[in-house]
Amino acid sequence: MKLYYSPGACSLADHVALHEAGFGFEIERVDLKTKLTEHGADYRAVNSKGYVPALTLDSGEHLSENVAILDWIADQRPALRPTGPLGRTRLLEMMSYISGELHKAYGPLFRGASDEDKAAAKAQVAAKLAFVASQLKGAYLFGSEPGVADFFLFPMIRWAAAMGIDTPPALTALQARLAARPAVQQAMAEEGLS
Ligand SMILES: N[C@@H](CCC(=O)N[C@@H](CS)C(=O)NCC(=O)O)C(=O)O
């Protein structure tokens, strides 16, 4: 199995999740500007959308989209998702929000947007982080143990801190708890972030 990533990008969520799940896997860095991997291969042959993450399974099939990859990991390791009859549905509900609303709201902050547009984007991100914080069911999103939805949040809370965006204390605390976990530290070290 191989994860294609860019240091500190949203692919960090999948990197953490794979370590938390206890999988053995390789990683290959992608240059998001040239779309070449660290071995000089054309990343578009793996993911024609050109963005990270992508996960190549042992079968040779490629998965893309954080929601799909994280859901697949949780399917292999159900301890990483909420329980109960609506457990998977609640997980997809939260991860769809993180992907389609929170992640998307960062868009102008990663592009050459005007100062006005960047300020508006920061306010949008802060509001969406506040909504996510209001959904915590304990120390983590779905209770006292972390799961794939928390790992999805991890890079986004890091970006908020780096960009000086207001982050609810509950999410800052969640981030600190995740950062102390060996799987997170391993993923960070492998991406050259620590
Ligand atoms: N919907 C995609 C979005 C992935 C995405 O936006 N990845 C960013 C890094 S966080 C990227 O690779 N951007 C480079 C590009 O779009 O060219 C997902 O959730 O997997």
Side-chain angles (χ1 to χ4, degrees):
M1 190 154 55
K2 184 189 281 187
L3 176 70
Y4 292 86
Y5 77 102
S6 173
C10 54
S11 45
L12 178 58
D14 312 272
H15 196 169
V16 166
L18 288 167
H19 279 313
E20 289 278 359
F23 284 117
F25 60 99
E26 296 170 49
I27 56 174
E28 189 158 340
R29 197 176 61 249
V30 177
D31 182 327
L32 294 175
K33 287 203 174 72
T34 63
K35 309 298 180 192
L36 293 176
T37 78
E38 64 185 296
H39 301 311
D42 179 5
Y43 177 60
R44 287 201 180 90
V46 174
N47 182 2
S48 58
K49 291 175 273 195
Y51 52 62
V52 290
L55 182 68
T56 303
L57 301 179
D58 291 341
S59 63
E61 285 174 283
H62 304 302
L63 299 181
S64 64
E65 300 298 328
N66 279 293
V67 173
I69 294 171
L70 292 167
D71 180 58
W72 180 83
I73 293 169
D75 220 22
Q76 315 305 304
R77 299 286 188 271
L80 296 177
R81 71 173 180 221
T83 53
L86 281 180
R88 178 155 183 245
T89 304
R90 292 296 179 205
L91 174 65
L92 292 176
E93 184 180 36
M94 179 51 69
M95 294 206 299
S96 297
Y97 186 83
I98 295 171
S99 174
E101 300 294 330
L102 178 58
H103 190 189
K104 273 288 169 213
Y106 278 97
L109 299 165
F110 287 120
R111 291 191 294 271
S114 66
D115 287 349
E116 197 182 346
D117 286 348
K118 282 187 176 166
K122 284 186 179 185
Q124 284 281 308
V125 169
K128 288 169 197 286
L129 288 172
F131 170 76
V132 171
S134 76
Q135 300 300 298
L136 294 193
K137 305 282 187 296
Y140 295 103
L141 276 166
F142 291 105
S144 58
E145 295 299 325
V148 293
D150 301 287
F151 308 144
F152 199 5
L153 276 182
F154 186 72
M156 303 198 199
I157 303 174
R158 286 187 80 239
W159 301 341
M163 293 173 182
I165 296 173
D166 273 349
T167 304
L171 291 189
T172 306
L174 181 155
Q175 180 79 350
R177 276 190 292 273
L178 287 179
R181 296 176 69 84
V184 176
Q185 289 174 1
Q186 189 177 352
M188 299 275 286
E190 288 169 354
E191 296 198 9
L193 301 171
S194 54

mmCIF file of all heavy atoms in Angstrom, residues 105-153:
data_model
loop_
_atom_site.group_PDB
_atom_site.id
_atom_site.type_symbol
_atom_site.label_atom_id
_atom_site.label_comp_id
_atom_site.label_asym_id
_atom_site.label_seq_id
_atom_site.Cartn_x
_atom_site.Cartn_y
_atom_site.Cartn_z
ATOM 1 N N ALA A 105 -13.333 26.163 2.519
ATOM 2 C CA ALA A 105 -13.279 27.551 2.967
ATOM 3 C C ALA A 105 -11.840 28.085 3.017
ATOM 4 O O ALA A 105 -11.607 29.291 2.963
ATOM 5 C CB ALA A 105 -13.950 27.692 4.336
ATOM 6 N N TYR A 106 -10.875 27.181 3.105
ATOM 7 C CA TYR A 106 -9.466 27.610 3.101
ATOM 8 C C TYR A 106 -8.991 28.028 1.704
ATOM 9 O O TYR A 106 -7.925 28.626 1.577
ATOM 10 C CB TYR A 106 -8.552 26.469 3.579
ATOM 11 C CG TYR A 106 -8.447 26.326 5.079
ATOM 12 C CD1 TYR A 106 -9.218 25.405 5.764
ATOM 13 C CD2 TYR A 106 -7.559 27.111 5.811
ATOM 14 C CE1 TYR A 106 -9.117 25.251 7.142
ATOM 15 C CE2 TYR A 106 -7.448 26.972 7.185
ATOM 16 C CZ TYR A 106 -8.232 26.045 7.848
ATOM 17 O OH TYR A 106 -8.121 25.911 9.204
ATOM 18 N N GLY A 107 -9.751 27.655 0.674
ATOM 19 C CA GLY A 107 -9.303 27.854 -0.713
ATOM 20 C C GLY A 107 -8.618 29.189 -0.979
ATOM 21 O O GLY A 107 -7.457 29.223 -1.416
ATOM 22 N N PRO A 108 -9.284 30.327 -0.706
ATOM 23 C CA PRO A 108 -8.667 31.621 -1.031
ATOM 24 C C PRO A 108 -7.359 31.862 -0.274
ATOM 25 O O PRO A 108 -6.513 32.634 -0.726
ATOM 26 C CB PRO A 108 -9.738 32.633 -0.580
ATOM 27 C CG PRO A 108 -11.023 31.857 -0.565
ATOM 28 C CD PRO A 108 -10.648 30.452 -0.190
ATOM 29 N N LEU A 109 -7.194 31.193 0.869
ATOM 30 C CA LEU A 109 -5.990 31.417 1.680
ATOM 31 C C LEU A 109 -4.782 30.700 1.094
ATOM 32 O O LEU A 109 -3.645 31.008 1.436
ATOM 33 C CB LEU A 109 -6.252 30.953 3.120
ATOM 34 C CG LEU A 109 -7.395 31.724 3.794
ATOM 35 C CD1 LEU A 109 -7.880 31.025 5.051
ATOM 36 C CD2 LEU A 109 -6.939 33.151 4.115
ATOM 37 N N PHE A 110 -5.029 29.751 0.211
ATOM 38 C CA PHE A 110 -3.921 29.044 -0.441
ATOM 39 C C PHE A 110 -3.682 29.564 -1.860
ATOM 40 O O PHE A 110 -2.744 29.149 -2.514
ATOM 41 C CB PHE A 110 -4.198 27.535 -0.489
ATOM 42 C CG PHE A 110 -4.072 26.865 0.861
ATOM 43 C CD1 PHE A 110 -5.145 26.212 1.437
ATOM 44 C CD2 PHE A 110 -2.866 26.889 1.548
ATOM 45 C CE1 PHE A 110 -5.027 25.591 2.673
ATOM 46 C CE2 PHE A 110 -2.734 26.276 2.790
ATOM 47 C CZ PHE A 110 -3.816 25.631 3.355
ATOM 48 N N ARG A 111 -4.596 30.434 -2.310
ATOM 49 C CA ARG A 111 -4.425 31.001 -3.647
ATOM 50 C C ARG A 111 -4.066 32.472 -3.504
ATOM 51 O O ARG A 111 -4.119 33.036 -2.425
ATOM 52 C CB ARG A 111 -5.731 30.872 -4.437
ATOM 53 C CG ARG A 111 -6.090 29.449 -4.806
ATOM 54 C CD ARG A 111 -7.228 29.428 -5.813
ATOM 55 N NE ARG A 111 -8.475 29.943 -5.261
ATOM 56 C CZ ARG A 111 -9.384 29.203 -4.639
ATOM 57 N NH1 ARG A 111 -9.177 27.917 -4.491
ATOM 58 N NH2 ARG A 111 -10.496 29.744 -4.177
ATOM 59 N N GLY A 112 -3.731 33.096 -4.608
ATOM 60 C CA GLY A 112 -3.359 34.509 -4.569
ATOM 61 C C GLY A 112 -4.579 35.409 -4.484
ATOM 62 O O GLY A 112 -4.811 36.229 -5.374
ATOM 63 N N ALA A 113 -5.379 35.272 -3.425
ATOM 64 C CA ALA A 113 -6.592 36.087 -3.295
ATOM 65 C C ALA A 113 -6.242 37.475 -2.745
ATOM 66 O O ALA A 113 -5.155 37.684 -2.196
ATOM 67 C CB ALA A 113 -7.565 35.383 -2.351
ATOM 68 N N SER A 114 -7.158 38.415 -2.908
ATOM 69 C CA SER A 114 -6.951 39.766 -2.371
ATOM 70 C C SER A 114 -7.006 39.716 -0.838
ATOM 71 O O SER A 114 -7.548 38.766 -0.258
ATOM 72 C CB SER A 114 -8.064 40.701 -2.875
ATOM 73 O OG SER A 114 -9.307 40.284 -2.327
ATOM 74 N N ASP A 115 -6.485 40.774 -0.202
ATOM 75 C CA ASP A 115 -6.520 40.821 1.269
ATOM 76 C C ASP A 115 -7.955 40.746 1.769
ATOM 77 O O ASP A 115 -8.247 40.109 2.787
ATOM 78 C CB ASP A 115 -5.858 42.114 1.771
ATOM 79 C CG ASP A 115 -4.336 42.049 1.614
ATOM 80 O OD1 ASP A 115 -3.825 40.937 1.317
ATOM 81 O OD2 ASP A 115 -3.688 43.093 1.768
ATOM 82 N N GLU A 116 -8.850 41.413 1.030
ATOM 83 C CA GLU A 116 -10.267 41.414 1.429
ATOM 84 C C GLU A 116 -10.837 39.994 1.378
ATOM 85 O O GLU A 116 -11.520 39.545 2.299
ATOM 86 C CB GLU A 116 -11.022 42.323 0.465
ATOM 87 C CG GLU A 116 -12.367 42.742 0.950
ATOM 88 C CD GLU A 116 -13.074 43.607 -0.112
ATOM 89 O OE1 GLU A 116 -12.409 44.066 -1.068
ATOM 90 O OE2 GLU A 116 -14.295 43.779 0.028
ATOM 91 N N ASP A 117 -10.541 39.295 0.287
ATOM 92 C CA ASP A 117 -11.050 37.915 0.145
ATOM 93 C C ASP A 117 -10.431 36.995 1.196
ATOM 94 O O ASP A 117 -11.085 36.085 1.714
ATOM 95 C CB ASP A 117 -10.773 37.370 -1.256
ATOM 96 C CG ASP A 117 -11.694 38.004 -2.290
ATOM 97 O OD1 ASP A 117 -12.667 38.672 -1.870
ATOM 98 O OD2 ASP A 117 -11.443 37.846 -3.496
ATOM 99 N N LYS A 118 -9.158 37.252 1.500
ATOM 100 C CA LYS A 118 -8.502 36.412 2.529
ATOM 101 C C LYS A 118 -9.139 36.653 3.894
ATOM 102 O O LYS A 118 -9.366 35.710 4.659
ATOM 103 C CB LYS A 118 -7.003 36.708 2.583
ATOM 104 C CG LYS A 118 -6.244 36.049 1.449
ATOM 105 C CD LYS A 118 -4.748 36.200 1.612
ATOM 106 C CE LYS A 118 -4.045 35.450 0.502
ATOM 107 N NZ LYS A 118 -2.662 35.779 0.359
ATOM 108 N N ALA A 119 -9.443 37.901 4.214
ATOM 109 C CA ALA A 119 -10.072 38.206 5.514
ATOM 110 C C ALA A 119 -11.445 37.543 5.588
ATOM 111 O O ALA A 119 -11.821 36.977 6.625
ATOM 112 C CB ALA A 119 -10.183 39.718 5.689
ATOM 113 N N ALA A 120 -12.179 37.564 4.470
ATOM 114 C CA ALA A 120 -13.506 36.935 4.457
ATOM 115 C C ALA A 120 -13.367 35.424 4.627
ATOM 116 O O ALA A 120 -14.150 34.789 5.348
ATOM 117 C CB ALA A 120 -14.219 37.262 3.141
ATOM 118 N N ALA A 121 -12.347 34.849 3.981
ATOM 119 C CA ALA A 121 -12.138 33.399 4.091
ATOM 120 C C ALA A 121 -11.778 33.019 5.529
ATOM 121 O O ALA A 121 -12.254 32.006 6.050
ATOM 122 C CB ALA A 121 -11.038 32.950 3.127
ATOM 123 N N LYS A 122 -10.953 33.839 6.167
ATOM 124 C CA LYS A 122 -10.580 33.538 7.563
ATOM 125 C C LYS A 122 -11.813 33.553 8.463
ATOM 126 O O LYS A 122 -11.960 32.712 9.358
ATOM 127 C CB LYS A 122 -9.542 34.548 8.073
ATOM 128 C CG LYS A 122 -8.151 34.288 7.528
ATOM 129 C CD LYS A 122 -7.133 35.218 8.173
ATOM 130 C CE LYS A 122 -5.746 34.911 7.633
ATOM 131 N NZ LYS A 122 -4.692 35.688 8.292
ATOM 132 N N ALA A 123 -12.720 34.501 8.223
ATOM 133 C CA ALA A 123 -13.947 34.568 9.031
ATOM 134 C C ALA A 123 -14.806 33.329 8.774
ATOM 135 O O ALA A 123 -15.393 32.761 9.706
ATOM 136 C CB ALA A 123 -14.715 35.842 8.695
ATOM 137 N N GLN A 124 -14.859 32.895 7.519
ATOM 138 C CA GLN A 124 -15.625 31.685 7.176
ATOM 139 C C GLN A 124 -15.045 30.451 7.868
ATOM 140 O O GLN A 124 -15.770 29.629 8.416
ATOM 141 C CB GLN A 124 -15.560 31.445 5.655
ATOM 142 C CG GLN A 124 -16.442 32.346 4.840
ATOM 143 C CD GLN A 124 -17.883 31.853 4.882
ATOM 144 O OE1 GLN A 124 -18.145 30.699 4.618
ATOM 145 N NE2 GLN A 124 -18.792 32.734 5.261
ATOM 146 N N VAL A 125 -13.709 30.332 7.804
ATOM 147 C CA VAL A 125 -13.054 29.185 8.440
ATOM 148 C C VAL A 125 -13.331 29.199 9.942
ATOM 149 O O VAL A 125 -13.680 28.175 10.535
ATOM 150 C CB VAL A 125 -11.528 29.183 8.163
ATOM 151 C CG1 VAL A 125 -10.823 28.163 9.045
ATOM 152 C CG2 VAL A 125 -11.250 28.898 6.686
ATOM 153 N N ALA A 126 -13.204 30.377 10.562
ATOM 154 C CA ALA A 126 -13.428 30.474 12.018
ATOM 155 C C ALA A 126 -14.849 30.034 12.363
ATOM 156 O O ALA A 126 -15.069 29.313 13.351
ATOM 157 C CB ALA A 126 -13.161 31.904 12.497
ATOM 158 N N ALA A 127 -15.824 30.433 11.551
ATOM 159 C CA ALA A 127 -17.219 30.055 11.828
ATOM 160 C C ALA A 127 -17.403 28.541 11.680
ATOM 161 O O ALA A 127 -18.117 27.915 12.477
ATOM 162 C CB ALA A 127 -18.151 30.799 10.875
ATOM 163 N N LYS A 128 -16.740 27.971 10.711
ATOM 164 C CA LYS A 128 -16.904 26.521 10.484
ATOM 165 C C LYS A 128 -16.166 25.721 11.568
ATOM 166 O O LYS A 128 -16.642 24.670 12.009
ATOM 167 C CB LYS A 128 -16.459 26.159 9.070
ATOM 168 C CG LYS A 128 -17.487 26.689 8.048
ATOM 169 C CD LYS A 128 -17.041 26.627 6.621
ATOM 170 C CE LYS A 128 -17.878 27.513 5.719
ATOM 171 N NZ LYS A 128 -19.204 27.058 5.402
ATOM 172 N N LEU A 129 -15.030 26.237 12.016
ATOM 173 C CA LEU A 129 -14.344 25.583 13.137
ATOM 174 C C LEU A 129 -15.218 25.649 14.389
ATOM 175 O O LEU A 129 -15.290 24.680 15.164
ATOM 176 C CB LEU A 129 -12.989 26.256 13.411
ATOM 177 C CG LEU A 129 -11.884 25.997 12.382
ATOM 178 C CD1 LEU A 129 -10.670 26.891 12.680
ATOM 179 C CD2 LEU A 129 -11.457 24.525 12.359
ATOM 180 N N ALA A 130 -15.907 26.768 14.580
ATOM 181 C CA ALA A 130 -16.787 26.904 15.755
ATOM 182 C C ALA A 130 -17.924 25.887 15.671
ATOM 183 O O ALA A 130 -18.298 25.275 16.683
ATOM 184 C CB ALA A 130 -17.339 28.325 15.837
ATOM 185 N N PHE A 131 -18.456 25.683 14.463
ATOM 186 C CA PHE A 131 -19.518 24.676 14.317
ATOM 187 C C PHE A 131 -18.971 23.289 14.673
ATOM 188 O O PHE A 131 -19.597 22.536 15.436
ATOM 189 C CB PHE A 131 -20.097 24.650 12.897
ATOM 190 C CG PHE A 131 -20.997 23.463 12.705
ATOM 191 C CD1 PHE A 131 -22.270 23.448 13.252
ATOM 192 C CD2 PHE A 131 -20.547 22.323 12.037
ATOM 193 C CE1 PHE A 131 -23.089 22.318 13.138
ATOM 194 C CE2 PHE A 131 -21.356 21.196 11.910
ATOM 195 C CZ PHE A 131 -22.637 21.198 12.474
ATOM 196 N N VAL A 132 -17.812 22.954 14.132
ATOM 197 C CA VAL A 132 -17.235 21.628 14.416
ATOM 198 C C VAL A 132 -17.037 21.468 15.922
ATOM 199 O O VAL A 132 -17.372 20.433 16.506
ATOM 200 C CB VAL A 132 -15.908 21.429 13.644
ATOM 201 C CG1 VAL A 132 -15.208 20.167 14.101
ATOM 202 C CG2 VAL A 132 -16.167 21.368 12.138
ATOM 203 N N ALA A 133 -16.505 22.509 16.568
ATOM 204 C CA ALA A 133 -16.275 22.429 18.024
ATOM 205 C C ALA A 133 -17.591 22.175 18.763
ATOM 206 O O ALA A 133 -17.616 21.458 19.772
ATOM 207 C CB ALA A 133 -15.617 23.715 18.520
ATOM 208 N N SER A 134 -18.682 22.722 18.255
ATOM 209 C CA SER A 134 -19.985 22.550 18.932
ATOM 210 C C SER A 134 -20.485 21.107 18.819
ATOM 211 O O SER A 134 -21.425 20.726 19.519
ATOM 212 C CB SER A 134 -21.023 23.500 18.333
ATOM 213 O OG SER A 134 -21.473 23.017 17.070
ATOM 214 N N GLN A 135 -19.864 20.330 17.951
ATOM 215 C CA GLN A 135 -20.316 18.954 17.724
ATOM 216 C C GLN A 135 -19.538 17.910 18.531
ATOM 217 O O GLN A 135 -19.854 16.725 18.485
ATOM 218 C CB GLN A 135 -20.175 18.595 16.225
ATOM 219 C CG GLN A 135 -20.993 19.487 15.310
ATOM 220 C CD GLN A 135 -22.479 19.420 15.622
ATOM 221 O OE1 GLN A 135 -23.092 18.371 15.514
ATOM 222 N NE2 GLN A 135 -23.047 20.536 16.043
ATOM 223 N N LEU A 136 -18.485 18.338 19.252
ATOM 224 C CA LEU A 136 -17.671 17.373 20.010
ATOM 225 C C LEU A 136 -18.543 16.622 21.014
ATOM 226 O O LEU A 136 -19.333 17.224 21.732
ATOM 227 C CB LEU A 136 -16.543 18.077 20.773
ATOM 228 C CG LEU A 136 -15.420 18.761 19.992
ATOM 229 C CD1 LEU A 136 -14.275 19.107 20.942
ATOM 230 C CD2 LEU A 136 -14.924 17.942 18.851
ATOM 231 N N LYS A 137 -18.352 15.309 21.067
ATOM 232 C CA LYS A 137 -19.125 14.484 22.013
ATOM 233 C C LYS A 137 -18.267 14.094 23.214
ATOM 234 O O LYS A 137 -18.632 13.214 23.979
ATOM 235 C CB LYS A 137 -19.611 13.203 21.322
ATOM 236 C CG LYS A 137 -20.417 13.425 20.061
ATOM 237 C CD LYS A 137 -21.848 13.840 20.379
ATOM 238 C CE LYS A 137 -22.726 13.894 19.134
ATOM 239 N NZ LYS A 137 -22.293 14.922 18.165
ATOM 240 N N GLY A 138 -17.131 14.722 23.357
ATOM 241 C CA GLY A 138 -16.201 14.395 24.439
ATOM 242 C C GLY A 138 -14.876 15.051 24.102
ATOM 243 O O GLY A 138 -14.847 16.121 23.490
ATOM 244 N N ALA A 139 -13.784 14.382 24.427
ATOM 245 C CA ALA A 139 -12.475 14.935 24.107
ATOM 246 C C ALA A 139 -12.275 14.990 22.589
ATOM 247 O O ALA A 139 -11.528 15.821 22.074
ATOM 248 C CB ALA A 139 -11.382 14.074 24.737
ATOM 249 N N TYR A 140 -12.962 14.072 21.884
ATOM 250 C CA TYR A 140 -12.863 14.012 20.418
ATOM 251 C C TYR A 140 -14.261 14.130 19.811
ATOM 252 O O TYR A 140 -15.259 14.186 20.535
ATOM 253 C CB TYR A 140 -12.189 12.696 20.007
ATOM 254 C CG TYR A 140 -10.759 12.606 20.477
ATOM 255 C CD1 TYR A 140 -10.421 11.829 21.584
ATOM 256 C CD2 TYR A 140 -9.745 13.311 19.837
ATOM 257 C CE1 TYR A 140 -9.105 11.756 22.038
ATOM 258 C CE2 TYR A 140 -8.430 13.249 20.279
ATOM 259 C CZ TYR A 140 -8.106 12.464 21.378
ATOM 260 O OH TYR A 140 -6.810 12.403 21.811
ATOM 261 N N LEU A 141 -14.313 14.112 18.490
ATOM 262 C CA LEU A 141 -15.598 14.356 17.821
ATOM 263 C C LEU A 141 -16.683 13.372 18.236
ATOM 264 O O LEU A 141 -17.838 13.746 18.414
ATOM 265 C CB LEU A 141 -15.407 14.299 16.297
ATOM 266 C CG LEU A 141 -14.933 15.609 15.677
ATOM 267 C CD1 LEU A 141 -14.453 15.382 14.241
ATOM 268 C CD2 LEU A 141 -16.051 16.645 15.711
ATOM 269 N N PHE A 142 -16.296 12.090 18.364
ATOM 270 C CA PHE A 142 -17.324 11.088 18.655
ATOM 271 C C PHE A 142 -17.146 10.448 20.025
ATOM 272 O O PHE A 142 -17.626 9.342 20.254
ATOM 273 C CB PHE A 142 -17.371 10.040 17.538
ATOM 274 C CG PHE A 142 -17.906 10.608 16.240
ATOM 275 C CD1 PHE A 142 -17.054 10.894 15.183
ATOM 276 C CD2 PHE A 142 -19.258 10.896 16.095
ATOM 277 C CE1 PHE A 142 -17.547 11.445 13.997
ATOM 278 C CE2 PHE A 142 -19.765 11.451 14.923
ATOM 279 C CZ PHE A 142 -18.903 11.724 13.865
ATOM 280 N N GLY A 143 -16.464 11.110 20.928
ATOM 281 C CA GLY A 143 -16.353 10.575 22.285
ATOM 282 C C GLY A 143 -14.953 10.699 22.839
ATOM 283 O O GLY A 143 -14.213 11.635 22.526
ATOM 284 N N SER A 144 -14.585 9.707 23.654
ATOM 285 C CA SER A 144 -13.326 9.823 24.394
ATOM 286 C C SER A 144 -12.122 9.298 23.610
ATOM 287 O O SER A 144 -10.982 9.469 24.044
ATOM 288 C CB SER A 144 -13.436 9.065 25.720
ATOM 289 O OG SER A 144 -13.742 7.712 25.456
ATOM 290 N N GLU A 145 -12.383 8.636 22.472
ATOM 291 C CA GLU A 145 -11.274 8.093 21.674
ATOM 292 C C GLU A 145 -11.258 8.753 20.293
ATOM 293 O O GLU A 145 -12.326 9.022 19.727
ATOM 294 C CB GLU A 145 -11.427 6.576 21.496
ATOM 295 C CG GLU A 145 -11.325 5.779 22.788
ATOM 296 C CD GLU A 145 -9.983 5.947 23.480
ATOM 297 O OE1 GLU A 145 -8.950 6.067 22.795
ATOM 298 O OE2 GLU A 145 -9.972 6.002 24.728
ATOM 299 N N PRO A 146 -10.059 8.975 19.742
ATOM 300 C CA PRO A 146 -10.012 9.610 18.424
ATOM 301 C C PRO A 146 -10.332 8.633 17.299
ATOM 302 O O PRO A 146 -10.147 7.429 17.437
ATOM 303 C CB PRO A 146 -8.557 10.087 18.329
ATOM 304 C CG PRO A 146 -7.793 9.130 19.164
ATOM 305 C CD PRO A 146 -8.725 8.704 20.274
ATOM 306 N N GLY A 147 -10.794 9.174 16.190
ATOM 307 C CA GLY A 147 -11.071 8.363 15.003
ATOM 308 C C GLY A 147 -10.732 9.139 13.744
ATOM 309 O O GLY A 147 -10.153 10.237 13.816
ATOM 310 N N VAL A 148 -11.112 8.591 12.611
ATOM 311 C CA VAL A 148 -10.682 9.179 11.336
ATOM 312 C C VAL A 148 -11.178 10.614 11.146
ATOM 313 O O VAL A 148 -10.497 11.423 10.498
ATOM 314 C CB VAL A 148 -11.060 8.289 10.123
ATOM 315 C CG1 VAL A 148 -10.276 6.980 10.141
ATOM 316 C CG2 VAL A 148 -12.557 8.033 10.049
ATOM 317 N N ALA A 149 -12.345 10.957 11.691
ATOM 318 C CA ALA A 149 -12.829 12.335 11.521
ATOM 319 C C ALA A 149 -11.917 13.320 12.270
ATOM 320 O O ALA A 149 -11.671 14.433 11.792
ATOM 321 C CB ALA A 149 -14.274 12.457 12.014
ATOM 322 N N ASP A 150 -11.423 12.908 13.437
ATOM 323 C CA ASP A 150 -10.482 13.768 14.175
ATOM 324 C C ASP A 150 -9.178 13.924 13.390
ATOM 325 O O ASP A 150 -8.602 15.013 13.340
ATOM 326 C CB ASP A 150 -10.180 13.155 15.553
ATOM 327 C CG ASP A 150 -11.433 12.985 16.378
ATOM 328 O OD1 ASP A 150 -11.971 13.992 16.862
ATOM 329 O OD2 ASP A 150 -11.900 11.833 16.517
ATOM 330 N N PHE A 151 -8.740 12.821 12.765
ATOM 331 C CA PHE A 151 -7.487 12.905 11.998
ATOM 332 C C PHE A 151 -7.666 13.839 10.795
ATOM 333 O O PHE A 151 -6.736 14.508 10.376
ATOM 334 C CB PHE A 151 -7.024 11.512 11.553
ATOM 335 C CG PHE A 151 -6.960 10.511 12.677
ATOM 336 C CD1 PHE A 151 -7.290 9.175 12.478
ATOM 337 C CD2 PHE A 151 -6.587 10.901 13.962
ATOM 338 C CE1 PHE A 151 -7.252 8.254 13.511
ATOM 339 C CE2 PHE A 151 -6.546 9.983 15.019
ATOM 340 C CZ PHE A 151 -6.890 8.662 14.791
ATOM 341 N N PHE A 152 -8.894 13.847 10.247
ATOM 342 C CA PHE A 152 -9.175 14.745 9.115
ATOM 343 C C PHE A 152 -9.067 16.209 9.570
ATOM 344 O O PHE A 152 -8.605 17.089 8.832
ATOM 345 C CB PHE A 152 -10.585 14.442 8.595
ATOM 346 C CG PHE A 152 -10.877 14.927 7.201
ATOM 347 C CD1 PHE A 152 -9.906 15.513 6.392
ATOM 348 C CD2 PHE A 152 -12.162 14.784 6.664
ATOM 349 C CE1 PHE A 152 -10.194 15.940 5.107
ATOM 350 C CE2 PHE A 152 -12.460 15.209 5.386
ATOM 351 C CZ PHE A 152 -11.480 15.798 4.610
ATOM 352 N N LEU A 153 -9.485 16.464 10.799
ATOM 353 C CA LEU A 153 -9.409 17.834 11.326
ATOM 354 C C LEU A 153 -7.969 18.282 11.575
ATOM 355 O O LEU A 153 -7.665 19.481 11.517
ATOM 356 C CB LEU A 153 -10.133 17.918 12.671
ATOM 357 C CG LEU A 153 -11.633 18.126 12.703
ATOM 358 C CD1 LEU A 153 -12.073 18.232 14.172
ATOM 359 C CD2 LEU A 153 -12.025 19.379 11.946
#
